[in-house]
Amino acid sequence: MLFWIIAAALVAVIALLFALALLRGHAQDDMAPAAAYDVQVYRDQLKDLERDIERGVVSAEEGARAKLEISRRMLEADRKAQAGSDLARAPKGATMALIAAGIVLFGGAVGLYLRMGAEGYQDKPIAQRMAEANKLYDTRPSQAEAEKTAKERQLETPKVDPQYAALLERLRAAVAKNPDDPKGLELLARNEAVIGNFDAAWKAQQRLIAVKGDAATAADYAQQGELMIVAAGGLISPEAEKVLATALKKDPKNGLSLYYVGLMMAQNGRGDRAFRIWDGLLRNSEQSDPWVPLIEQNINELAWLAGENDYTPPMPRGAGPSQADIAAASDMSPEARQQMIRGMVDKLNDRLAQQGGTAEEWARLISSLRMIGELDRADAVYAEAKGKFAARPADLARIEAAHAAPAGKALEDAGAAPGAGAGPEAGLPGPSAQQMQDAASMTPEQRQQMIQGMVDGLFDRLTTEGGTPAEWARLITSLATLGETERAKEAWGEAQQALADNPDALAQVQLAAQQAGVAQ
């Protein structure tokens, strides 16, 4: 009812404005036009001029010239008045036609709304939306129903090369003869998918998993789930969901399964949950992973559904230094290593300036700039990042922790090898100049052994004597880079106890632990 009251009030106001405009136009029609008024003014000027000539105020010669000019203007004004008199009043027929058109348009709009509109449609509370999403999830078609619908919608059957079809028939016969041959089942699943026979493909993959038993990997289950989804026309059925769940049980970080679970959430009205899953997956994916471009195309819309109005998609890990880059840094001279680090820092700086990035990336840039001694640039980036993340307290805390950390907090933030200094000027509590010089003459194995010894020594000292937040952070990231995740977790636990009474210091170490993947 409120809708109709508001709509009627708006129509009444608009109609009143139109009526006033028409009445004002008729009122102006009855007034003398501006040109006619000008004619009268010029006549008065001529009379005044005659009196001035008689009194001798104006000479006869000047008066003649003025009369000529005033007469010329009066004639022009009279011409305009005569020409405008025929157009001054709008035809009554046109006015009536305008009113009739307005009535027809208004009546047509009301009729169209009553026929096609959603009269009485109410707002949906969150609880109701969730209930509808759950109903949509619970009433999904089964795998068989979805595949049947997909086949009905298929426009044409893919054509298969006769030679390829003959080879596939031989493969099918071989697998039928020896149904427990893993290699044959693997080939059959792959080739059935090639010709678009996805139903047979996922069933062959299912048989392969049964043959493998406990040896079946998360990737095996994820592949079966994907084949089932494609066979169902893109819909994720309850059966496919169970297969994906098994894959994630074996490997919670399986990217293909996480992508399809997020897609399933989006299909069933839970874009908010899809966003959380895809955002986390994007942060832990390589640039070359096949699901990355698909997520990047859709995640901004999901972010809006999840209430993230100021969301910037994170860059995949392939956009930064790889483990190979880090390993290669240990074989470089200090000068070459410093140059490599500076190049990576500049590259990160350019990308964030042009495309933006996550709070973690801004924090890494700030700490990297401080590490290589460019404190002014670090301060400028810090000021820019504060503006970008002012409305996000958690992200802002990471930015501030990176800026508050001692210069050169963590070499690994810029992709250098643990224990490998950026040079004496960086001010790191790490290897001395003499150690750096000695390392340059070592073999890679000797240098790795030296690095391991330095990390072990730092671990022993910090766990027995304690140390600064920067040292704890460097120890955790170094252990993680060396692949010693359990020791990194142990170091994080020790740091929490050692710095329990210093929240600011603990926040610095927590940032390093999060980047190393050993803390939430």
Side-chain angles (χ1 to χ4, degrees):
M1 188 62 185
L2 179 62
F3 168 79
W4 289 110
I5 294 174
I6 295 174
L10 288 175
V11 170
V13 170
I14 294 172
L16 178 61
L17 292 175
F18 271 112
L20 290 175
L22 290 173
L23 290 174
R24 188 183 300 120
H26 286 293
Q28 288 177 349
D29 291 343
D30 296 333
M31 296 173 60
Y37 175 78
D38 292 342
V39 171
Q40 185 61 43
V41 170
Y42 292 141
R43 286 174 179 167
D44 293 340
Q45 288 179 352
L46 286 174
K47 292 178 182 179
D48 293 339
L49 182 61
E50 290 288 347
R51 287 194 294 268
D52 290 341
I53 293 173
E54 290 177 358
R55 291 197 305 267
V57 176
V58 178
S59 64
E61 186 177 336
E62 290 179 350
R65 287 198 299 269
K67 282 183 180 181
L68 183 63
E69 179 62 24
I70 293 173
S71 298
R72 185 187 64 80
R73 294 183 180 181
M74 185 172 65
L75 289 173
E76 179 64 21
D78 184 64
R79 185 186 65 79
K80 291 181 179 179
Q82 294 297 328
S85 62
D86 296 334
L87 303 175
R89 184 182 299 275
K92 291 185 177 180
T95 302
M96 296 303 296
L98 181 63
I99 295 174
I103 295 174
V104 170
L105 286 175
F106 175 72
V110 172
L112 186 63
Y113 179 80
L114 293 175
R115 180 179 177 83
M116 303 180 63
E119 182 182 1
Y121 191 80
Q122 299 178 351
D123 291 338
K124 287 185 178 181
I126 292 296
Q128 184 178 349
R129 294 176 186 270
M130 295 299 182
E132 291 181 357
N134 291 335
K135 182 179 180 181
L136 186 63
Y137 172 82
D138 293 335
T139 57
R140 286 174 295 165
S142 65
Q143 182 68 26
E145 292 171 341
E147 287 188 25
K148 181 181 179 181
T149 303
K151 289 180 180 179
E152 291 174 351
R153 293 176 179 175
Q154 190 173 3
L155 298 178
E156 59 181 17
T157 304
K159 296 181 180 180
V160 183
D161 181 82
Q163 290 184 335
Y164 189 88
L167 291 173
L168 184 56
E169 284 296 334
R170 291 173 59 186
L171 178 60
R172 290 169 180 164
V175 171
K177 186 176 180 180
N178 189 6
D180 294 333
D181 177 26
K183 187 63 177 177
L185 290 168
E186 182 180 351
L187 290 172
L188 181 60
R190 186 188 309 163
N191 286 278
E192 293 285 11
V194 168
I195 67 169
N197 192 5
F198 295 104
D199 177 68
W202 75 256
K203 290 177 180 177
Q205 182 69 17
Q206 184 182 51
R207 177 60 187 166
L208 173 63
I209 291 174
V211 170
K212 286 187 175 182
D214 293 339
T217 65
D220 293 329
Y221 282 97
Q223 185 175 355
Q224 180 189 340
E226 183 176 41
L227 292 171
M228 294 175 72
I229 294 166
V230 177
L235 187 140
I236 303 173
S237 66
E239 294 89 340
E241 181 188 358
K242 289 180 182 180
V243 175
L244 296 174
T246 305
L248 291 174
K249 185 177 180 180
K250 286 181 169 289
D251 179 12
K253 295 183 178 181
N254 183 268
L256 189 61
S257 298
L258 286 171
Y259 167 74
Y260 281 118
V261 170
L263 180 62
M264 178 189 68
M265 294 298 174
Q267 288 179 350
N268 293 281
R270 291 304 305 269
D272 55 328
R273 296 183 66 182
F275 167 73
R276 304 300 174 195
I277 295 171
W278 278 4
D279 177 68
L281 176 58
L282 199 57
R283 295 175 188 275
N284 294 289
S285 297
E286 301 292 339
Q287 185 67 50
S288 58
D289 288 332
W291 51 81
V292 167
L294 299 173
I295 292 178
E296 290 177 335
Q297 291 173 10
N298 298 282
I299 197 167
N300 281 320
E301 182 178 352
L302 294 177
W304 181 81
L305 293 173
E308 297 285 345
N309 298 322
D310 189 23
Y311 175 72
T312 301
M315 294 296 293
R317 288 186 307 202
S322 63
Q323 291 296 326
D325 295 329
I326 296 174
S330 63
D331 297 330
M332 295 180 178
S333 65
E335 293 77 12
R337 187 180 302 112
Q338 175 76 356
Q339 184 177 359
M340 184 195 75
I341 293 172
R342 187 175 295 277
M344 289 190 293
V345 172
D346 290 341
K347 183 178 179 181
L348 178 61
N349 180 78
D350 293 341
R351 179 169 60 78
L352 293 182
Q354 295 174 7
Q355 305 175 12
T358 62
E360 292 87 348
E361 291 172 322
W362 283 95
R364 186 163 71 248
L365 175 60
I366 293 169
S367 61
S368 300
L369 287 170
R370 290 175 62 80
M371 181 198 70
I372 62 178
E374 297 193 13
L375 302 184
D376 292 339
R377 284 182 66 191
D379 292 341
V381 173
Y382 168 64
E384 183 179 356
K386 281 183 66 178
K388 289 182 176 293
F389 296 96
R392 301 184 185 181
D395 290 338
L396 187 59
R398 294 178 178 176
I399 301 294
E400 292 177 343
H403 186 258
K409 163 187 149 304
L411 285 172
E412 290 74 16
D413 284 345
E425 71 280 6
L428 286 173
S432 64
Q434 183 60 44
Q435 288 173 319
M436 295 290 298
Q437 185 176 359
D438 294 341
S441 60
M442 293 180 180
T443 64
E445 292 77 12
Q446 292 173 328
R447 190 178 299 112
Q448 183 70 14
Q449 185 177 0
M450 182 194 75
I451 292 172
Q452 185 71 55
M454 293 173 60
V455 173
D456 290 342
L458 182 61
F459 182 90
D460 293 338
R461 178 169 64 80
L462 293 182
T463 53
T464 55
E465 304 174 9
T468 66
E471 290 176 318
W472 281 109
R474 185 157 60 95
L475 174 62
I476 292 170
T477 52
S478 299
L479 288 169
T481 306
L482 290 172
E484 300 186 21
T485 306
E486 293 303 321
R487 290 187 70 194
K489 291 181 180 179
E490 182 182 351
W492 166 232
E494 293 284 349
Q496 288 178 284
Q497 296 180 16
L499 303 173
D501 57 345
N502 192 342
D504 293 337
L506 188 59
Q508 297 177 23
V509 183
Q510 183 177 10
L511 177 61
Q514 288 173 339
Q515 294 175 343
V518 297
Q520 299 298 323

